[in-house]
Amino acid sequence: MTGATTTVTTGKRKTKVGRVVSDKMDKTIVVSVERLARHPLYKRVIRLTTKFKAHDELNEAHIGDTVLIEESRPLSATKRWRLVEVVARAGEQGVTTEIVAEEAATSEAIHAAAHPGRVRAAEVEETST
């Protein structure tokens, strides 16, 4: 039975999007990937972070950049991923003061949903006058 043919199916390689947390090594970056998971006992959604070392041949990614990495063959003892592209540079997200101003309103909405009977201090002052 020498006529048997074997076909090798190459599956699509996994890709992940994360933020560069270190670029101090030559041709290597450390990428932090966050994911949300439900806690098995408390059923709360928690944020879990995993760090991957990725090969950056041209040293084009820097700290704070959002990058796309793809799995590859083992390149060193800990490096199993390679950089595909830089999705966004660190300075391109915009001014950080806008985000800080937005966080207060978001925080208030979260607390109001968590504590429906709670009355804000500003509302108490308005009703007393």
Side-chain angles (χ1 to χ4, degrees), residues 15 18 22-23 26 60 64 78-79 88 91 94 97 100-101 106 129:
T15 60
S22 174
D23 63 349
D26 187 33
E60 58 184 327
T78 58
K79 199 165 36 167
T97 56
V100 172
T106 306
T129 55

Side-chain angles (χ1 to χ4, degrees), residues 1-18:
M1 295 288 163
T2 58
T5 59
T6 59
T7 58
V8 178
T9 57
T10 56
K12 188 172 182 178
R13 292 182 174 177
K14 294 178 187 173
T15 60
K16 296 185 183 294
V17 176

Side-chain angles (χ1 to χ4, degrees), residues 12 31 40 46 56 75 78 83 91 103-104 111:
K12 188 172 182 178
V31 180
I46 55 176
D56 181 9
L75 299 169
T78 58
L83 175 70
E103 283 183 7
H111 289 300

Side-chain angles (χ1 to χ4, degrees), residues 19-38:
R19 189 167 307 272
V20 178
V21 293
S22 174
D23 63 349
K24 295 183 179 184
M25 295 171 275
D26 187 33
K27 297 185 180 183
T28 303
I29 55 174
V30 179
V31 180
S32 175
V33 177
E34 291 184 345
R35 62 187 173 91
L36 298 177
R38 190 167 297 276

Side-chain angles (χ1 to χ4, degrees), residues 20 56 60-62 65-68 83-90:
V20 178
D56 181 9
E60 58 184 327
H62 301 290
D65 292 351
T66 303
V67 295
L68 176 70
L83 175 70
V84 176
E85 68 173 320
V86 177
V87 177
R89 292 284 176 192

Side-chain angles (χ1 to χ4, degrees), residues 67-78:
V67 295
L68 176 70
I69 58 174
E70 179 181 59
E71 68 179 347
S72 68
R73 64 181 177 84
L75 299 169
S76 72
T78 58

Side-chain angles (χ1 to χ4, degrees), residues 37-46:
R38 190 167 297 276
H39 192 278
L41 177 63
Y42 300 114
K43 310 301 185 217
R44 296 281 301 209
V45 176
I46 55 176

